[in-house]
Amino acid sequence: MNIDEAVWAAQGWERLADGVGRRRLPGWDATTGLVVGERAVLLYDTGASLAEGAGIRAQVEAITGGRRVTHIALGHPHFDHVLGTAAFAGAEVFGAVGTEELLASARTREELYTDAVRQGLEERVAAEAAEALVAPRHTVTGERTLDLGGRQVLLANVGPAHTGHDLVLLVPGDREVVFCGDLVEESGEPQAGPDAIGSRWPDALDRLLALGGEDALYVPGHGAVVDAAFVRRQREELARRFQVS
C-alpha cells in the first residue's frame, strides 16, 4: 500500500519502505513498527501504557485512512514494548514461543508493573496496563510467514538473547526491513537485564544478519535505523562483553 511520506510524517512516523514505517515513542525511545497490506495491518510492539497504545492506534488509523490494526507481533516481553497491547481490541497477537505463558502469569504482570514504575511510569497507569495485559494467542517457534494481502512478512524466533523470547520481523521488498526489537540498540549500549541470555546473543545477531542480508535496513528497539555493518559491530561488542566467540 503506497502511503505518501508526508502522511507518515504528519503523525510523527518515519517511512521506511512502501507501506512500512516506524515511530520512536517518547519516554524510553522504544520503536513501534507498522506494515500495511491490502487485507491486514500489522503492528510491531505496542508501547508502554494503554494511553500510548491508544495514541498509536489513532496514528495508524490516520496513516491508513481509518483501517485498524489486525495483527500484532511482540518483539519481547518488556513493559515498554507490550503494555499497550490491550488498546488494540480484536487484533491477533503473536509472540515467541513461551511468551504466551509468561504474559499470562500473575508474577509477570507484577514484574512488569514494578519495572515500569521503577522506570518512571505513574503507578496508576502501570497498574491499569498490567491488569489488562494481553498474552499472545499465536506463537512462533522457528519462523512463520503471515500474508497481509499483496505482501508477506516473516516472523522469526531468533533468541534467546536480550530475553528468553525474542521475535523479529522481516519485511521483504526492494530493500528488506528488519525490525530487531532490543536485540539491537542504537541510542545506547544494549541492555542486559536478569532475563538476558548473553552467551546466546551473538548467535542471535548472526541469525538476524542471515535473514536480512547486507543491504537491509535494521530497525533497533531503541534508536536510529542502522545497517548490517552496525549490527555486526554490535555483535562483536556483545561477544567480548559476554566472553563468547
Side-chain angles (χ1 to χ4, degrees):
M1 181 177 182
N2 189 16
I3 302 170
D4 190 86
E5 187 167 354
V7 175
W8 293 96
Q11 298 302 318
W13 287 63
E14 176 185 359
R15 181 187 184 276
L16 301 175
D18 185 16
V20 185
R22 70 88 175 250
R23 177 173 169 80
R24 292 171 69 170
L25 299 169
W28 296 275
D29 191 30
T31 284
T32 183
L34 182 67
V35 185
V36 183
E38 294 173 359
R39 295 192 306 272
V41 177
L42 183 146
L43 187 72
Y44 183 83
D45 285 348
T46 61
S49 70
L50 294 178
E52 189 158 70
I56 295 168
R57 184 186 67 219
Q59 293 158 11
V60 169
E61 291 173 357
I63 290 167
T64 61
R67 296 176 63 185
R68 69 179 184 88
V69 171
T70 57
H71 297 70
I72 290 172
L74 299 177
H76 62 283
H78 284 171
F79 85 93
D80 50 336
H81 298 264
V82 304
L83 285 185
T85 306
F88 301 89
E92 297 290 334
V93 182
F94 294 76
V97 65
T99 309
E100 73 285 10
E101 295 179 1
L102 190 70
L103 293 186
S105 75
R107 178 178 178 179
T108 297
R109 292 171 190 263
E110 180 63 28
E111 289 174 348
L112 289 173
Y113 163 80
T114 301
D115 192 28
V117 171
R118 183 186 301 117
Q119 296 295 329
L121 197 63
E122 183 183 343
E123 290 184 8
R124 176 190 57 80
V125 174
E128 179 185 41
E131 178 64 26
L133 186 64
V134 175
R137 292 183 56 195
H138 308 281
T139 59
V140 182
T141 301
E143 298 179 358
R144 182 167 182 169
T145 300
L146 298 181
D147 186 351
L148 305 183
R151 75 186 322 153
Q152 293 186 331
V153 299
L154 180 71
L155 300 177
N157 182 347
V158 301
H162 175 67
T163 72
H165 311 87
D166 295 308
L167 186 71
V168 303
L169 169 65
L170 171 68
V171 187
D174 293 336
R175 188 176 187 186
E176 281 78 9
V177 179
V178 185
F179 289 93
C180 309
D182 286 4
L183 290 170
V184 179
E185 294 193 41
E186 184 275 337
S187 54
E189 184 178 88
Q191 298 300 300
D195 56 346
I197 299 88
S199 62
R200 303 284 294 277
W201 205 326
D203 287 343
L205 292 187
D206 286 340
R207 291 192 288 275
L208 189 72
L209 287 163
L211 281 171
E214 288 301 307
D215 297 325
L217 296 174
Y218 292 89
V219 186
H222 303 264
V225 175
V226 299
D227 59 12
F230 180 96
V231 176
R232 191 169 293 106
R233 288 194 301 271
Q234 196 153 92
R235 186 255 184 232
E236 294 308 316
E237 291 166 2
L238 287 165
R240 289 192 293 271
R241 178 176 171 184
F242 296 111
Q243 300 181 339
V244 294
S245 58

